Amino acid sequence: MRRVEIIAAQAILDDVLEALEHYEVPMHYTIIPTAHGKGDTIPKLGDDVWPEENFILIMYCQDETLSGIEQALQLVKKKYDHEGIGYFVI
């Protein structure tokens, strides 16, 4: 069993979920809808200067599911090449 965390802009949440569904990734997850932080792209702090916010999607899956998740995220990254998408597997 692996823990997967995806962190990205709230604006692309629906695209991430649609891509996961397209690649038939089992949809058992938790979403933390508002997360603030700074990575390799613009800060997303939810304030007057940096108004955007992130979401965190957490799921647990078997190893064989990871390739579908990675394919889904690559699809979204092609569409939103200016957005950072954090993907962590533990």
Side-chain angles (χ1 to χ4, degrees):
M1 185 73 62
R2 306 298 290 269
R3 177 184 167 118
V4 174
E5 295 182 8
I6 299 170
I7 303 170
Q10 283 180 341
I12 66 170
L13 174 58
D14 289 339
D15 292 277
V16 170
L17 294 175
E18 287 174 15
L20 291 169
E21 188 173 314
H22 174 77
Y23 284 99
E24 299 180 358
V25 172
M27 300 300 281
H28 305 283
Y29 59 84
T30 297
I31 294 175
I32 301 171
T34 304
H36 298 158
K38 181 181 180 317
D40 293 333
T41 61
I42 65 168
K44 295 188 175 58
L45 303 176
D47 61 15
D48 291 339
V49 177
W50 304 105
E52 294 183 52
E53 296 179 313
N54 287 327
F55 69 89
I56 301 171
L57 186 147
I58 302 168
M59 65 175 71
Y60 289 86
C61 66
Q62 300 299 324
D63 285 342
E64 54 270 9
T65 305
L66 294 176
S67 64
I69 296 170
E70 291 166 3
Q71 289 176 313
L73 293 179
Q74 286 302 319
L75 185 67
V76 175
K77 285 181 182 184
K78 284 182 185 178
K79 185 174 180 180
Y80 298 101
D81 61 350
H82 60 284
E83 287 290 342
I85 300 176
Y87 170 64
F88 308 94
V89 178
I90 303 168

